[in-house]
Amino acid sequence: MNSVLTMIAGLGLFLFAMQLVEQAVQTLFSERASHWLQRSTNTTLKGVVAGALITAVMQSSSLVGLLVLAFVSVGILPLRHAMAVMLGANLGTTVTGWLVTLLGFKLSLSAVSLPLAGAGALC
């Protein structure tokens, strides 16, 4: 009984958080950004590439999925474009695995870690 109540509470918390994300997206997303997002995902190929690149950069297909869900529910992104982005997100999750497979653990990033940290701080 305890696990059922925990599951219901978790589902309620998730739905509440999604409502807050949708409200924030609707408030913060400008018309210009909305048009850019629609234009950059207006074909299936563009949507798949955008989803793969965003997921490869963010390293989280779950986060991309939640944002796409919020964009669809607010009306910024059509469902057809969102499906292409999600397909790309699923493909993008494999980028890290492929990089490790291709480069192996022989690659040492210690020499470039400090300049990369500096570039990240500037961004």
Side-chain angles (χ1 to χ4, degrees):
M1 183 66 179
N2 190 20
S3 62
V4 172
L5 292 175
T6 304
M7 183 182 72
I8 292 172
L11 181 62
L13 184 61
F14 172 76
L15 292 174
F16 175 68
M18 280 305 301
Q19 182 181 13
L20 290 178
V21 169
E22 289 171 10
Q23 289 173 354
V25 164
Q26 196 169 22
T27 302
L28 298 175
F29 227 71
S30 68
E31 282 293 318
R32 187 174 180 185
S34 175
H35 288 298
W36 175 82
L37 183 63
Q38 290 174 0
R39 192 175 59 244
S40 64
T41 60
N42 62 357
T43 66
T44 303
L45 182 62
K46 282 183 178 180
V48 169
V49 169
L53 290 176
I54 291 169
T55 304
V57 169
M58 296 175 79
Q59 289 294 305
S60 175
S61 62
S62 299
L63 179 61
V64 173
L66 291 174
L67 288 174
V68 167
L69 178 65
F71 291 154
V72 170
S73 67
V74 170
I76 293 174
L77 194 62
L79 183 60
R80 180 179 173 139
H81 300 169
M83 289 175 15
V85 172
M86 286 309 302
L87 176 63
N90 288 330
L91 293 173
T93 58
T94 62
V95 169
T96 303
W98 278 106
L99 286 175
V100 170
T101 301
L102 295 174
L103 300 175
F105 293 104
K106 298 175 276 191
L107 182 66
S108 175
L109 295 177
S110 60
V112 295
S113 62
L114 192 56
L116 287 176
L122 289 176
C123 289

